[in-house]
Amino acid sequence: MISGDSIVALSSGRLPAGVAVLRISGPQTRFVIETIAGGMVKARGAVLRRFRAPDGTVLDNGLVLFFPGPASFTGEDVAEFHVHGGRAVVARMLETIADFDGVRHAEPGEFTRRAFFNGKVDLVETEALADLVNAETEAQRRFAIQNAGGAQSALYLGWRRRLIHARAMIEAEIDFADEDDVPGSVSDTVWSDVRSMASEIDRHIAGFHAAEIIRDGFEVVILGAPNAGKSSLFNALARRDAAIVTDEPGTTRDLLEVVLDLRGLRVRLTDTAGLREAPSKIEAIGIEKARAKADRADLLLLLEDAADPKDAGPLPMSTPALRVGTKLDLLDKGATQDAAGRYEFGISVVDGTGVDGLLAEIGRRAAEAAGVSGDVLPSRLRHVELLDAANRHLHRAADERMPQELRAEELRLAADRLGRIVGAVEVEDLLDVIFSQFCIGK
């Protein structure tokens, strides 16, 4: 699909900057280069030119690169103008280019949308490009690079090809059972492979939580009675005063969150209200929020003042937890040794005792939850929903009580759901949602 108009946008980062990159794609690209750069340039080579408006006004000096379609990111003629990154320079360049007939400002994600329609990327690779742009940690970058390179798409398309082949064999057996060139009963082989594929998809779906941890973060929630040292630990791990710390019980009323980068993984750390009986009405709301957050956490840090233990009431039993004794600096040597037997970690934020060890354990658990580096995982909830739907059809297809014709139809429906993940079948209703998440220049 080659569009009738051309689009232009700033494709580099926030201004001002040392260099700004303006990208144009579409049939007017060559004419824009010839007019602004004073003539056409050699493909795929950076050329230094003086840029001028159609009336001869000098706009800037910079580099221009031309990528002829279809061998370009969008599949159309594409050019990049590398100019000085001042706001006025960029604004004047964009205004000048958009004033050409048939050229307009790009909408969010429109360059990538054109790449998709021109067969340069599929939907999964498109989503991975968005993840790559938004990556904040090394794990997120690796995950996005792997999927942008086609590993995830290859898995789904491989399953789809197996289903199309299985359906063809079953339909051939139905229609041409009496013909010599059709193998004898292929059902056993086909349905064995279908059951195997259903198990493979089940295992793949089970990896979604690991993908969520990579993309969204490993959830760590700090719980404990008032004055157990939660906010002090929170500040120590955040390495800044993110929470107010006082001796007055109930100081923390709402959830406070910081994001850490541990071993290349995103870790979301949440400080909560102190857990106790008969709090004030406002404090009760904070405690309710704390318990709800704890129910959704990947790891709990259950804090207790080792010098003055207090009951925090019932705590979540199903979430993995570390029992942490705080304020070791207030204990004598004997009491410190006794505390070591009661807690998995003993810490003091005053002198730093145990804090680094606790942080290392959080990082280790986050890495363990994120799975083995390089695993192909479903990266979006929509992938999981379509994989679940495909598996339901596979399980129905494997039901030997059903007629072969209906089982073949279930295979078709399963293949359709897999095709929808990568955009191999009609997915027009998804496109506006997916591409609206992109920045303008992508």
Side-chain angles (χ1 to χ4, degrees):
M1 181 205 80
I2 302 299
S3 176
D5 56 4
S6 299
I7 54 174
V8 63
L10 172 68
S11 289
S12 53
R14 182 179 302 175
L15 302 176
V19 175
V21 178
L22 280 60
R23 176 185 288 172
I24 179 172
S25 177
Q28 298 300 314
T29 298
R30 292 173 186 262
F31 181 65
V32 170
I33 294 174
E34 290 170 351
T35 305
I36 290 181
M40 198 55 198
V41 297
K42 183 179 178 180
R44 306 183 191 285
V47 180
L48 178 63
R49 290 287 176 89
R50 175 166 290 183
F51 302 138
R52 296 179 183 270
D55 63 3
T57 303
V58 175
L59 302 173
D60 194 16
N61 298 319
L63 300 177
V64 58
L65 296 91
F66 174 58
F67 306 92
S72 68
F73 172 65
T74 64
E76 305 171 330
D77 284 349
V78 173
E80 291 181 355
F81 295 95
H82 294 212
V83 299
H84 293 95
R87 291 188 176 90
V89 174
V90 170
R92 188 72 175 92
M93 285 286 294
L94 288 174
E95 179 186 3
T96 300
I97 295 173
D99 277 344
F100 282 80
D101 289 340
V103 182
R104 60 175 173 80
H105 293 286
E107 298 175 359
E110 193 167 4
F111 288 94
T112 308
R113 187 172 187 140
R114 292 188 179 202
F116 169 73
F117 277 120
N118 290 326
K120 296 297 180 178
V121 292
D122 61 34
L123 278 187
V124 173
E125 291 167 341
T126 293
E127 291 166 327
L129 286 175
D131 287 343
L132 189 59
V133 170
N134 295 321
E136 297 176 339
T137 67
E138 176 61 14
Q140 289 173 336
R141 185 195 66 80
R142 289 197 307 266
F143 187 52
I145 283 287
Q146 181 186 46
N147 292 335
Q152 202 176 350
S153 297
L155 179 64
Y156 300 151
L157 290 173
W159 282 333
R160 185 168 181 261
R161 283 193 296 270
R162 284 165 65 184
L163 286 178
I164 291 172
H165 177 263
R167 180 186 167 205
M169 296 302 292
I170 292 299
E171 290 183 348
E173 186 177 80
I174 292 171
D175 295 337
F176 307 107
D178 296 331
E179 299 292 334
D180 293 338
D181 57 349
V182 175
S185 176
V186 296
S187 295
D188 290 346
T189 301
V190 167
W191 299 124
S192 175
D193 188 51
V194 166
R195 285 188 289 271
S196 174
M197 196 182 314
S199 297
E200 292 171 28
I201 293 175
D202 277 333
R203 289 193 296 271
H204 181 67
I205 291 172
F208 181 56
H209 183 58
E212 284 185 303
I213 288 173
I214 294 172
R215 292 185 69 246
D216 302 326
F218 184 73
E219 291 273 6
V220 180
V221 175
I222 304 174
L223 291 179
N227 286 344
K230 299 185 300 299
S231 294
S232 295
L233 176 61
F234 181 76
N235 288 340
L237 297 180
R239 302 189 188 282
R240 61 185 175 88
D241 290 337
I244 299 172
V245 179
T246 73
D247 292 332
E248 180 181 345
T251 300
T252 302
R253 302 295 181 86
D254 208 346
L255 303 179
L256 300 176
E257 183 177 291
V258 295
V259 176
L260 309 178
D261 185 339
L262 300 181
R263 298 175 66 166
L265 287 164
R266 191 171 192 259
V267 175
R268 294 209 305 265
L269 181 69
T270 303
D271 186 19
T272 63
L275 306 180
R276 61 173 175 167
E277 297 297 328
S280 67
K281 185 176 181 180
I282 295 177
E283 196 177 345
I285 295 173
I287 290 174
E288 183 178 348
K289 286 184 177 181
R291 294 191 184 280
K293 185 73 171 178
D295 288 336
R296 302 189 301 271
D298 297 304
L299 177 66
L300 301 179
L301 302 183
L302 305 180
L303 268 60
E304 187 175 83
D305 183 346
D308 184 19
K310 289 186 174 64
D311 182 24
L315 298 169
M317 300 297 293
S318 58
T319 306
L322 292 173
R323 300 194 66 85
V324 181
T326 64
K327 306 182 183 180
L328 292 192
D329 55 288
L330 300 180
L331 303 179
D332 58 30
K333 184 176 180 181
T336 300
Q337 292 174 341
D338 179 62
R342 289 187 286 132
Y343 306 109
E344 291 166 273
F345 282 89
I347 66 169
S348 167
V349 298
V350 173
D351 59 21
T353 299
V355 174
D356 287 344
L358 177 60
L359 197 61
E361 178 63 13
I362 294 171
R364 187 193 68 78
R365 293 201 177 210
E368 184 179 79
V372 179
S373 176
D375 286 350
V376 179
L377 306 172
S379 56
R380 289 288 194 285
L381 180 59
R382 80 169 187 91
H383 302 169
V384 173
E385 291 171 344
L386 288 167
L387 288 166
D388 272 329
N391 236 9
R392 287 195 297 272
H393 291 298
L394 290 184
H395 285 298
R396 283 197 286 267
D399 186 350
E400 297 178 357
R401 297 168 297 180
M402 289 179 63
Q404 291 282 68
E405 292 85 350
L406 294 182
R407 298 174 77 182
E409 174 63 10
E410 293 293 344
L411 294 180
R412 184 191 71 79
L413 292 171
D416 174 83
R417 299 307 182 270
L418 292 173
R420 284 176 176 270
I421 300 177
V422 296
V425 296
E426 184 61 41
V427 289
E428 185 66 32
D429 54 332
L430 285 172
L431 299 185
D432 288 340
V433 174
I434 290 173
F435 290 109
S436 67
Q437 300 172 15
F438 279 73
C439 56
I440 294 291
K442 193 66 177 173

